[in-house]
């Protein structure tokens, strides 16, 4: 049994003032594997105070100093990727390939931020003004359970590049991963107070971060409902916010696509991270006259997806993170049937031979965009097939959602796919299964969020802009 009893404030592991304990489960069995002692409001205030004390000196550090720290943080995380991947499998149920990718991604975020910082110009001239980009202040970084370590590292790396000090509120469900990340980051030897990590409940620690006047910025990744509450709570102190929220992303298979290759790509995109991915392509849009071919190929593709056995490199789908998430997914499968959609494969219950929080990878056809399974983020391996009669209608259906995080287009003609991409309301569009680009902006249109992360766009979200007039003496004309 794990017992996690410390949070990290002002460069030290300390016992929280908070007295509440939270159970950690292994999702592949449902067993309790440990517990974590949660921080409270006082701990949060202490962490904010430490970050605030550290801010003036850290804001004045040079680019070279911060690049050197980012590289040390990278090395420290790299030395721990195997431990982190193992914890991700045990605590969160990620299949091993995903867990290993996620742990490396977390470490590499520091290198990506260093690269952005190397190339970024903090000062530019506009007319007679000198325009200076300055760190915004103390930033609160709030992460979800579905990629806790990755988001801690990416947000922290960007904040450090900008010269901000931070208070991190990781998901309370990810305490094993957080412990490993904290130990690794501590090894890098940054000045005390630059980063503080307080694991606690969202409605306690997260709420305090959202209203505390000494927090200038919140970078939040999580659900749209909580993102809205943070936006409201932060309005009084006019916090800068970056909100990375939910999605219901469309995959448009255009009528010129080779279905034999397109369908497996669409299924893989929908099932990424066991379906617990904000960017999962969960609405597959196909030409109406190809529906029967698509259904046949979907059955083949899903039957080939291996569920379970997390340490097996071939497994693509692991369990849901919690009993609650398991039940939520079951509820949506039930609703899909009740709403009149046709079950192509999967359904309610556990897959054969698996217990814990495993669900059956499920695909519905004859779905209309008004059904709740097509409108709401399910956050599990449950996909909808919708049909269209023209490209125009496909674009209309794709955009008919409150979300706008990601979209996928599959076509034999790149120019045609680009033209469709230009009309989609989404922060990212991936053509023909193109992989992640770590320095390109990431974020959502509409209720999928506010602002962008990664690269220069992400860095500027941690900066304020100051125009200094009179600093530049203009040459007489
Ligand atoms: P969640 O919104 O329930 O929780 C996210 C974080 O917010 C947790 O740390 C939680 O403790 C905290 N929180 C909860 N209530 C809070 C409050 N009142 N004030 C401040 N913080 C609070 O989300 P989750 O269930 O952990 O994660 C899944 C969601 O995250 C999905 O909706 C998914 O789409 C989204 N997500 C988005 C992205 C993206 O980049 N757009 C990436 C990953 C996940």
């Amino acid at each position: 049994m794990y017992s996690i009893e410390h949070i990290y404030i002002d460069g030290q592991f300390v016992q929280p003032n908070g007295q509440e304990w939270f159970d950690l489960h292994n999702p592949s069995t449902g067993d309790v594997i440990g517990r974590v002692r949660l921080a409270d409001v006082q701990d949060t205030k202490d962490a904010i105070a430490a970050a605030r004390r550290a801010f003036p000196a850290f804001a004045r550090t040079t680019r070279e100093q911060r690049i050197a720290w980012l590289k040390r943080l990278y090395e420290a995380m790299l030395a721990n990727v195997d431990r982190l991947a193992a914890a991700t499998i045990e605590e969160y149920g990620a299949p091993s390939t995903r867990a290993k990718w996620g742990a490396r991604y977390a470490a590499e975020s520091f290198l990506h931020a260093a690269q952005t910082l190397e190339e970024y110009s903090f000062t530019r001239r506009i007319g007679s003004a000198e325009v200076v980009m300055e760190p915004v202040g103390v930033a609160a970084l709030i992460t979800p359970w579905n990629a806790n370590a990755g988001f801690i590292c990416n947000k922290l790396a960007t904040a450090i590049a900008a010269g901000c000090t931070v208070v991190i509120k990781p998901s309370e469900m990810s305490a094993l991963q957080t412990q490993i990340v904290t130990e690794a980051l501590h090894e890098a030897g940054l000045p005390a107070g630059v980063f503080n990590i307080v694991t606690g409940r969202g409605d306690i620690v997260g709420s305090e971060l959202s209203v505390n006047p000494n927090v200038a910025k919140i970078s939040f990744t999580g659900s749209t409902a909580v993102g809205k509450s943070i936006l409201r709570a932060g309005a009084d102190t006019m916090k800068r916010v970056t909100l990375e929220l939910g999605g219901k992303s469309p995959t448009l298979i255009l009528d010129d696509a080779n279905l034999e290759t397109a369908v497996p790509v669409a299924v893989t995109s929908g099932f990424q991270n066991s379906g617990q991915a904000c960017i999962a392509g969960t609405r597959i849009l196909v030409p109406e006259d190809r529906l029967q071919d698509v259904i046949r190929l979907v059955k083949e593709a899903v039957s080939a997806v291996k569920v379970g056995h997390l340490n097996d490199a071939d497994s693509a789908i692991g369990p849901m993170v919690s009993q609650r998430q398991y039940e939520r997914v079951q509820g949506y499968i039930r609703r899909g049937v009740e709403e009149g959609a046709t079950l192509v494969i999967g359904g309610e219950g556990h897959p054969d031979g698996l217990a814990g929080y495993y669900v059956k990878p499920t695909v519905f056809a004859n779905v209309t965009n008004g059904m709740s399974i097509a409108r709401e983020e399910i956050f599990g391996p449950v996909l909808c097939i919708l049909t269209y009669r023209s490209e125009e209608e496909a674009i209309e259906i794709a955009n008919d959602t409150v979300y706008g995080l990601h979209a996928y287009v599959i076509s034999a003609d790149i120019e045609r796919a680009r033209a469709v991409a230009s009309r989609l309301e989404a922060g990212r569009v991936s053509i023909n299964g193109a992989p992640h680009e770590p320095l390109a902006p990431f974020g959502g249109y509409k209720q999928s969020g506010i602002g962008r992360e990664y690269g220069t766009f992400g860095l500027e979200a941690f900066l304020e802009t100051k125009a200094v007039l009179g600093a530049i003496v203009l040459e007489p004309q």
Side-chain angles (χ1 to χ4, degrees):
M1 285 283 274
Y2 299 96
S3 182
I4 296 175
E5 302 180 24
H6 294 96
I7 52 178
Y8 188 80
I9 296 180
D10 215 8
Q12 293 181 30
F13 288 88
V14 294
Q15 273 214 343
N17 183 63
Q19 303 292 322
E20 185 183 350
W21 289 84
F22 182 84
D23 281 342
L24 303 169
H25 295 259
N26 178 332
S28 62
T29 59
D31 296 340
V32 174
I33 53 168
R35 54 184 207 148
V36 52
R37 183 165 159 184
L38 299 179
D40 65 5
V41 170
Q42 188 54 50
D43 297 311
T44 314
K45 287 182 172 165
D46 291 347
I48 296 168
R52 191 160 161 80
R53 281 193 299 278
F55 178 70
F58 196 66
R60 285 196 303 273
T61 51
T62 63
R63 179 197 308 266
E64 288 68 33
Q65 281 174 307
R66 299 206 296 280
I67 288 173
W69 276 318
L70 287 167
K71 289 187 175 164
R72 286 209 327 242
L73 288 161
Y74 165 68
E75 296 295 340
M77 281 298 299
L78 195 63
N80 284 281
V81 289
D82 291 340
R83 276 176 79 206
L84 180 58
T88 312
I89 291 169
E90 185 172 12
E91 174 178 60
Y92 158 53
S96 68
T97 337
R98 172 84 197 184
K100 284 178 189 155
W101 176 86
R104 277 202 87 83
Y105 163 85
E108 284 166 4
S109 328
F110 293 104
L111 282 190
H112 294 142
Q115 191 184 336
T116 302
L117 182 53
E118 263 161 24
E119 293 161 7
Y120 187 72
S121 176
F122 285 87
T123 308
R124 70 196 81 159
R125 185 177 158 170
I126 299 180
S128 65
E130 183 184 41
V131 179
V132 188
M133 305 300 284
E134 298 181 338
V136 65
V138 172
L141 316 179
I142 304 178
T143 68
W145 48 262
N146 76 326
N148 180 59
F151 286 117
I152 290 178
C153 291
N154 177 56
K155 289 178 193 293
L156 173 63
T158 315
I160 286 175
C164 293
T165 58
V166 308
V167 176
I168 300 169
K169 204 235 54 89
S171 171
E172 57 275 36
M173 295 164 74
S174 311
L176 293 187
Q177 296 161 67
T178 299
Q179 177 75 7
I180 292 165
V181 171
T182 313
E183 286 168 11
L185 300 179
H186 176 71
E187 283 301 306
L190 266 68
V194 168
F195 68 91
N196 305 274
I197 304 184
V198 277
T199 296
R201 285 192 185 276
D203 57 358
I204 295 175
V205 175
S207 291
E208 177 59 26
L209 291 169
S210 308
V211 296
N212 192 295
N214 289 325
V215 172
K217 179 192 167 73
I218 300 193
S219 177
F220 168 81
T221 299
S223 61
T224 294
V226 172
K228 287 180 185 176
S229 78
I230 289 175
L231 193 58
R232 284 188 210 105
D236 266 351
T237 46
M238 210 58 86
K239 296 205 191 318
R240 280 69 184 124
V241 290
T242 301
L243 302 175
E244 296 288 359
L245 310 177
K248 192 74 192 176
S249 300
T251 298
L252 288 80
I253 301 183
L254 303 190
D255 60 11
D256 62 0
N258 174 349
L259 291 183
E260 304 278 338
T261 50
V263 167
V265 169
V267 165
T268 304
S269 129
F271 286 167
Q272 54 188 306
N273 208 15
S274 309
Q276 301 175 120
C278 52
I279 58 169
T282 47
R283 291 183 296 144
I284 304 176
L285 275 57
V286 304
E288 191 179 70
D289 59 0
R290 310 291 298 280
L291 179 63
Q292 292 317 315
D293 290 335
V294 170
I295 288 177
R296 174 179 55 79
L297 291 164
V298 161
K299 277 186 188 158
E300 276 174 36
V302 177
S303 308
V305 171
K306 210 162 162 190
V307 185
H309 306 297
L310 303 176
N311 286 311
D312 176 349
D314 294 340
S315 272
I317 298 195
M320 303 295 91
V321 73
S322 62
Q323 179 68 27
R324 191 163 151 240
Q325 189 66 13
Y326 171 84
E327 280 161 14
R328 179 183 153 84
V329 174
Q330 297 298 316
Y332 274 107
I333 297 175
R334 216 161 24 247
R335 261 160 82 184
V337 173
E338 285 163 9
E339 285 176 320
T342 308
L343 201 53
V344 172
I345 191 161
E348 280 188 70
H350 290 98
D352 286 346
L354 293 169
Y357 311 145
Y358 285 98
V359 303
K360 293 181 192 163
T362 297
V363 182
F364 285 104
N366 300 318
V367 177
T368 57
N369 213 31
M371 293 180 183
S372 62
I373 54 168
R375 300 209 78 74
E376 296 169 22
E377 186 183 50
I378 298 174
F379 229 54
V382 180
L383 310 182
C384 300
I385 302 173
L386 298 99
T387 56
Y388 64 82
R389 277 183 228 116
S390 65
E391 194 173 288
E392 205 56 33
E393 193 188 12
I395 293 168
E396 203 177 294
I397 297 171
N399 288 337
D400 177 18
T401 165
V402 297
Y403 295 111
L405 189 59
H406 212 298
Y408 303 82
V409 182
I410 305 178
S411 168
D413 178 347
I414 300 291
E415 283 314 310
R416 191 176 163 205
R418 280 184 68 190
V420 170
S422 74
R423 298 185 58 200
L424 296 175
E425 296 162 0
R428 267 194 179 194
V429 184
S430 166
I431 294 176
N432 292 340
H436 176 58
E437 170 50 62
L439 294 184
F442 178 83
Y445 279 38
K446 301 191 274 187
Q447 295 187 31
S448 284
I450 295 179
R452 295 293 180 269
E453 293 193 291
Y454 300 151
T456 306
F457 289 84
L459 178 62
E460 291 196 334
F462 283 90
L463 298 170
E464 278 287 9
T465 309
K466 181 184 284 172
V468 182
L469 310 178
I472 296 171
V473 180
L474 294 176
E475 298 288 321
Q477 295 289 316

